[in-house]
Amino acid sequence: MGMDRVFSAFDISASALSAERVRMNVIANNIANANATDSPEGGPYRREQVVFASVLREMTGSKDIEGAGRLGGVEVQKIVKSQEPFNKIYIPGHPKADQNGFVEMPNVNVSMEMVDLVTATRAYEANLAVINSAKDMTNQALSILK
């Protein structure tokens, strides 16, 4: 095992930390715009979601380890807008109300966003724990050489 693989756990977890940070930022943006009836694209704000993809990395000399080609981490592939229908709320007198008094509101469910935020936070914490464990194991391995 080469020294470059010693740090692969750090690289994998670091990529996950970056991806989860983007996810948390997108969730925060969704919550901030939960009541925005007008967006730059026109119409109410549409909920955004992060799509992750695994990063495949060529690892020289890894052909003897099953599944080693998958060791590369995760990245944000894209951020997509939800195609769920908008919520309609009866607010007569609202500047965006139609002739029946209904206003199209963003398709953001704050409760669902909070669940996603907790999930992203837990994934972030888990990857941080992996980095700390890998750091401790590396330090112990290096102390053997002293």
Side-chain angles (χ1 to χ4, degrees):
M1 182 157 118
M3 283 302 286
D4 58 331
R5 290 205 194 148
V6 170
F7 299 109
S8 68
F10 292 112
D11 293 339
I12 292 168
S13 290
S15 71
L17 289 176
S18 295
E20 292 298 339
R21 183 182 47 79
V22 170
R23 182 177 175 197
M24 287 189 272
N25 286 340
V26 167
I27 292 169
N29 192 42
N30 287 341
I31 293 172
N33 289 297
N35 293 317
T37 57
D38 201 13
S39 67
E41 296 88 24
Y45 174 80
R46 283 201 175 272
R47 178 178 187 243
E48 294 179 335
Q49 296 172 303
V50 176
V51 177
F52 293 133
S54 62
V55 176
L56 301 177
R57 183 172 295 155
E58 286 293 322
M59 300 178 69
T60 57
S62 64
K63 293 183 173 84
D64 56 333
I65 302 172
E66 185 176 329
R70 295 187 310 245
L71 299 177
V74 65
E75 67 179 2
V76 174
Q77 187 177 35
K78 59 185 171 182
I79 297 172
V80 297
K81 294 199 178 277
S82 172
Q83 296 304 313
E84 295 176 18
F86 293 119
N87 301 323
K88 286 192 169 192
I89 298 178
Y90 183 69
I91 311 174
H94 189 280
K96 296 287 182 178
D98 61 11
Q99 67 273 10
N100 296 324
F102 286 97
V103 178
E104 284 192 327
M105 299 296 287
N107 56 0
V108 175
N109 182 341
V110 176
S111 300
M112 183 63 75
E113 297 300 323
M114 292 305 295
V115 169
D116 286 349
L117 185 60
V118 169
T119 304
T121 302
R122 296 288 184 250
Y124 191 91
E125 291 171 350
N127 282 291
L128 203 54
V130 168
I131 288 175
N132 285 331
S133 294
K135 182 183 72 176
D136 291 343
M137 289 189 308
T138 303
N139 284 338
Q140 288 178 359
L142 291 174
S143 70
I144 292 173
L145 299 175
K146 290 182 183 177

